[in-house]
Amino acid sequence: MTNPDPNFPDPIWVPSSDRIESSNLSNFMKHVNIQGDIIDSYAELHQWSIDYKKDFWLEIWQFCDVIGYKGDCILGEGLAKWGAFNPSRDTIWFPQSQLNYAENLLAYSFQAPDDTAIWFKNERGESRQLTWQDLCDQVSILQQWLKHNGVEKGDVVAGYLPHMPETVIAMLATTSLGAIWTSTSPDFGTESVIERFGQVNPKVLFCCNGYDFNGKTFHIEEKNRQISDALPSLVNTCQIDYLQTDLSQDDHGDFFSDWQAILASFLPRGINFERISFNDPLFVLYSSGTTGKPKCIVHSVGGTILSHLKEHQLHCDVQPKDRVFYYTTCGWMMWNWHVSALASGATLVIFDGSPMYPNPNVLWQLAQEAQVTLFGTSAKYLEALQKSQFTPSSCYTLDSLKTLCSTGSVLYPEQYDFVYSSIKVDVHLASIAGGTDICGCFVLGNPISPVYRGECQGAGLGMDVTVFDQQGKEVVAQRGELVCRNSFPNQPLGFWHDNGERYHNAYWNKFNDTWHHGDDVEMTQHGGMIFYGRSDTTLNPGGVRIGTAEIYQQVNQLEEIQDSIAVARRVDGDENVVLFVQLTDGAVLDDELQQSIKQTLRIQCSPRHVPAEIYRLNEIPKTKSGKLVELAVKQVLHGLDVQNLGAIANPSALEEVAQYQRQPIN
């Protein structure tokens, strides 16, 4: 396909007419057209979803077969929601509605109880499959046990677990009662877990005795005991024998209950779903905590269901019997996003372990075996896969794969090339962006429109997303701030134990009644979105605004560089770019490599992108979910304290940074 406009590049992928015709999105557009609004393109549909927001979200409810009482009121004008005090901004959706999250996720079990609901595999090679009936039976048993421990609507249940079937079961049992689920992954240290769970006072804690990662076994029984002792709100703790060590009572003490013993103590007898308000709390997620105590972000039942159904079915074309895989941990909002795929009748394909151990083919072997239709991962994984020189298409046909989602950081144009040259020629590559803040996406893909190299396809339906300059003026083909100008159901209810002030300062303080997300972006002429990084870590040498992703895109391609991180050092009222690099095995940061880095950036970007200082680190500092911690590195470089080292996956890397606080400039 040739683009008729010479100012636009040709798309890197165009959906076939059959793909468009069979998509949920096309069927949704036909459904809207029947109601009287003639819509022929995604751009028209998006504009309609903004102009007629009540009609749009009502259509989502009906098209996606949401289970529950809808009520007669779609948008409660002037009604403040939970935890907010600005009625003009924080209006509530479906104020009369009553529904249950778990009931919606388990609805498909009535249609095909013997189909596979969960396909699980871990690094040890263990594999399990649960049918929908198996899943419902175990949720029923766990629900009875939670009731026995006094869990009811509004209580908090916590999971300190890997992504495995038991985690999904515990969450579904919790939310079936109208209770609130919160989780984090077992690689978090004791203090970090207590800092999170200690704010929300869980009544029950689920944990496991250990896990495997990258060929190593980690025993965490002592961490579990320390966490339980530090949470006085706990009534009971359930420990899962994930390492298959045949737990005895002496291993976990009288305070811990054993998962297998619970399953043997009750008989499945159906699940009672407690329907609660659309705007009642469902999940508590946590900010990274790298700049202070983690914020406890509260998400609603109805907002989560509607948003995830919209994103899965319309944007990712998830259909019943699809196999949806996402590589994630329980400490990342993509876990919540992944498990919601059950509500669309899809099978959850789950992997626990390192995505590169014992070799780079592990996830693709699983994708082939499980016939994955949607493969979800991070941009960093695709970059690492490309550097490993492993080509999935040379080993696997991936016949079932329709969609590949990437998130977590900027997906560079070179990774677009890699996906289409080395994974699959005909796949919908959807670079998606949003966050923990909304447990969903502001920008993502759609299966009926072209994909352009280096661009997210566009704003999500129902989201009035655009780009503002520093004065709050909308700009196109110019870098600025990602904002959203309208209300949407999955806005967070607020922060736990907050009067609204912290919530307002986090998202609403920069532009009047407009959500400011903190991403440095550019909207293209055809509605795509190019990401440059976080706006709070944007570099500004000589007054020229530079996104860190521009530097990483070029530097990380060099064969000597495994990873990198760039920050600004204040010098005489200006900024110098300081680049830290992690080298590949055998590489040396000598004058030749430094000059190669500088020359690459000078030619491919500009002289302003060239770092004044380049240093080697053994590891690049990152959060537990693999995100670069640029702000923490900048703080250390300027001699400031990082307020929450527990949020950093490898805090020793920051100690390496500290030695360059007063290092003379090259």
Side-chain angles (χ1 to χ4, degrees):
M1 176 178 176
T2 302
N3 196 314
D5 190 333
N7 295 317
F8 292 160
D10 289 340
I12 196 169
W13 177 81
V14 178
S16 67
S17 56
D18 288 343
R19 178 74 187 269
I20 293 171
E21 184 64 25
S22 64
S23 69
N24 287 328
L25 188 57
S26 288
N27 290 331
F28 181 77
M29 290 167 63
K30 292 174 186 176
H31 184 70
V32 172
N33 287 342
I34 291 173
Q35 311 304 318
D37 294 285
I38 305 302
I39 295 172
D40 294 321
S41 67
Y42 181 81
E44 290 180 7
L45 180 63
H46 181 263
Q47 190 60 52
W48 175 83
S49 74
I50 301 303
D51 294 340
Y52 299 94
K53 56 187 178 183
K54 293 182 183 180
D55 294 331
F56 169 72
W57 288 109
L58 178 59
E59 292 293 340
I60 292 293
W61 183 298
Q62 295 171 339
F63 183 83
C64 297
D65 293 325
V66 174
I67 298 172
Y69 172 66
K70 181 172 75 276
D72 298 321
C73 182
I74 308 303
L75 183 62
E77 302 283 3
L79 297 175
K81 63 184 179 182
W82 183 94
F85 61 87
N86 186 339
S88 64
R89 180 192 72 204
D90 298 314
T91 53
I92 63 174
W93 291 87
F94 296 92
Q96 301 168 340
S97 170
Q98 297 282 314
L99 73 174
N100 182 277
Y101 179 75
E103 184 177 12
N104 278 272
L105 265 64
L106 293 172
Y108 192 72
S109 61
F110 295 99
Q111 299 181 40
D114 296 327
D115 282 2
T116 302
I118 296 178
W119 182 309
F120 170 75
K121 191 172 185 178
N122 65 18
E123 185 179 290
R124 297 195 297 267
E126 298 167 352
S127 183
R128 281 183 283 155
Q129 295 183 40
L130 276 69
T131 67
W132 286 93
Q133 188 62 58
D134 295 333
L135 181 58
C136 287
D137 288 347
Q138 294 195 38
V139 170
S140 170
I141 290 173
L142 262 291
Q143 184 193 64
Q144 294 172 62
W145 183 78
L146 288 172
K147 281 184 176 180
H148 180 74
N149 284 280
V151 174
E152 56 189 19
K153 174 187 174 182
D155 287 335
V156 176
V157 175
Y160 180 48
L161 293 165
H163 190 3
M164 59 183 185
E166 288 84 352
T167 313
V168 180
I169 292 163
M171 180 277 293
L172 289 170
T174 297
T175 57
S176 71
L177 296 169
I180 304 165
W181 175 262
T182 189
S183 63
T184 190
S185 56
D187 57 335
F188 273 67
T190 303
E191 291 184 7
S192 295
V193 177
I194 295 170
E195 192 172 42
R196 285 160 172 77
F197 292 167
Q199 296 184 67
V200 297
N201 299 318
K203 184 173 280 189
V204 171
L205 172 67
F206 288 93
C207 55
C208 66
N209 59 344
Y211 63 97
D212 290 274
F213 189 85
N214 204 30
K216 297 179 181 179
T217 298
F218 298 86
H219 294 269
I220 60 172
E221 296 97 328
E222 183 57 34
K223 290 169 67 177
N224 296 338
R225 194 172 287 110
Q226 292 172 7
I227 292 166
S228 294
D229 290 344
L231 298 174
S233 59
L234 288 178
V235 172
N236 210 332
T237 296
C238 173
Q239 183 167 274
I240 301 162
D241 184 14
Y242 188 34
L243 296 180
Q244 299 182 354
T245 55
D246 190 20
L247 288 175
S248 66
Q249 193 68 17
D250 292 338
D251 289 317
H252 48 67
D254 294 336
F255 188 64
F256 282 16
S257 296
D258 176 65
W259 179 276
Q260 289 301 325
I262 293 170
L263 293 183
S265 299
F266 298 88
L267 293 175
R269 60 182 188 189
I271 306 169
N272 296 316
F273 297 105
E274 177 74 20
R275 291 187 179 179
I276 57 179
S277 167
F278 187 98
N279 298 287
D280 277 338
L282 169 70
F283 292 137
V284 177
L285 305 181
Y286 304 95
S287 64
S288 62
T290 54
T291 57
K293 201 170 187 178
K295 296 185 286 289
C296 304
I297 307 171
V298 186
H299 294 284
S300 71
V301 176
T304 302
I305 291 173
L306 272 194
S307 171
H308 288 179
L309 283 170
K310 178 201 73 172
E311 293 177 2
H312 289 155
Q313 294 190 20
L314 301 190
H315 289 279
C316 296
D317 202 30
V318 174
Q319 303 186 17
K321 296 183 181 290
D322 274 356
R323 303 285 178 86
V324 176
F325 167 78
Y326 221 104
Y327 182 75
T328 180
T329 72
C330 298
W332 190 20
M333 56 83 40
M334 293 310 299
W335 179 84
N336 307 76
W337 192 91
H338 184 211
V339 297
S340 288
L342 290 171
S344 296
T347 297
L348 295 185
V349 179
I350 300 170
F351 179 81
D352 176 48
S354 168
M356 302 292 281
Y357 178 86
N359 51 59
N361 78 331
V362 289
L363 297 187
W364 301 101
Q365 178 66 36
L366 175 62
Q368 184 82 0
E369 290 176 2
Q371 297 181 313
V372 165
T373 56
L374 184 151
F375 186 103
T377 186
S378 67
K380 280 292 181 185
Y381 169 75
L382 292 174
E383 183 182 335
L385 194 68
Q386 183 177 14
K387 277 188 170 292
S388 75
Q389 299 185 336
F390 172 68
T391 304
S393 61
S394 65
C395 302
Y396 307 105
T397 59
L398 303 173
D399 293 329
S400 301
L401 185 62
K402 298 188 301 180
T403 306
L404 195 154
C405 288
S406 168
T407 191
S409 59
V410 177
L411 187 67
Y412 307 130
E414 291 76 17
Q415 271 74 67
Y416 283 74
D417 299 337
F418 173 72
V419 166
Y420 286 105
S421 66
S422 302
I423 296 179
K424 193 173 183 181
V425 172
D426 185 20
V427 68
H428 174 209
L429 175 56
S431 179
I432 64 179
T436 300
D437 321 83
I438 62 169
C439 198
C441 304
F442 282 116
V443 175
L444 63 172
N446 79 77
I448 69 170
S449 301
V451 172
Y452 290 89
R453 183 176 183 265
E455 296 183 20
C456 299
Q457 280 179 283
L461 293 170
M463 316 286 276
D464 188 11
V465 174
T466 191
V467 180
F468 277 2
D469 63 16
Q470 293 301 311
Q471 289 70 47
K473 178 184 176 183
E474 183 178 12
V475 293
V476 177
Q478 178 180 324
R479 285 172 57 172
E481 300 278 353
L482 176 69
V483 299
C484 187
R485 296 180 291 196
N486 67 335
S487 173
F488 47 93
N490 57 307
Q491 283 178 211
L493 295 174
F495 297 158
W496 198 269
H497 296 316
D498 176 39
N499 64 3
E501 183 178 359
R502 291 180 74 203
Y503 172 66
H504 173 81
N505 290 338
Y507 309 116
W508 303 95
N509 203 29
K510 189 173 181 67
F511 303 112
N512 186 43
D513 283 352
T514 299
W515 178 289
H516 166 243
H517 199 56
D519 283 329
D520 178 17
V521 298
E522 175 185 339
M523 182 176 285
T524 66
Q525 295 287 355
H526 49 262
M529 197 76 76
I530 300 172
F531 280 73
Y532 295 97
R534 293 291 296 172
S535 56
D536 57 1
T537 55
T538 297
L539 310 174
N540 198 31
V544 177
R545 188 179 173 96
I546 292 173
T548 52
E550 299 173 76
I551 292 176
Y552 307 147
Q553 177 185 344
Q554 302 302 327
V555 172
N556 291 1
Q557 287 187 75
L558 300 175
E559 63 180 59
E560 298 92 345
I561 307 299
Q562 183 172 329
D563 206 351
S564 61
I565 190 167
V567 298
R569 188 201 293 273
R570 295 190 298 271
V571 178
D572 297 331
D574 198 358
E575 289 185 354
N576 281 345
V577 177
V578 181
L579 178 68
F580 296 95
V581 294
Q582 179 180 350
L583 303 179
T584 54
D585 291 342
V588 177
L589 185 61
D590 53 17
D591 289 342
E592 183 179 355
L593 179 55
Q594 292 206 37
Q595 289 305 313
S596 176
I597 292 170
K598 293 179 179 182
Q599 184 72 356
T600 297
L601 289 169
R602 183 176 289 107
I603 294 173
Q604 299 298 330
C605 297
S606 79
R608 292 290 185 186
H609 290 73
V610 176
E613 311 167 58
I614 305 175
Y615 304 114
R616 175 185 175 275
L617 297 179
N618 289 317
E619 287 186 297
I620 298 298
K622 296 179 181 179
T623 65
K624 303 286 186 180
S625 59
K627 295 185 178 181
L628 299 175
V629 287
E630 294 159 326
L631 195 56
V633 170
K634 185 175 181 179
Q635 289 172 331
V636 171
L637 199 62
H638 288 89
L640 304 175
D641 292 333
V642 177
Q643 297 183 33
N644 194 348
L645 284 174
I648 311 297
N650 49 352
S652 61
L654 292 178
E655 297 175 10
E656 287 189 80
V657 173
Q659 65 182 304
Y660 300 110
Q661 287 176 5
R662 299 177 183 84
Q663 187 79 15
I665 298 174
N666 293 339

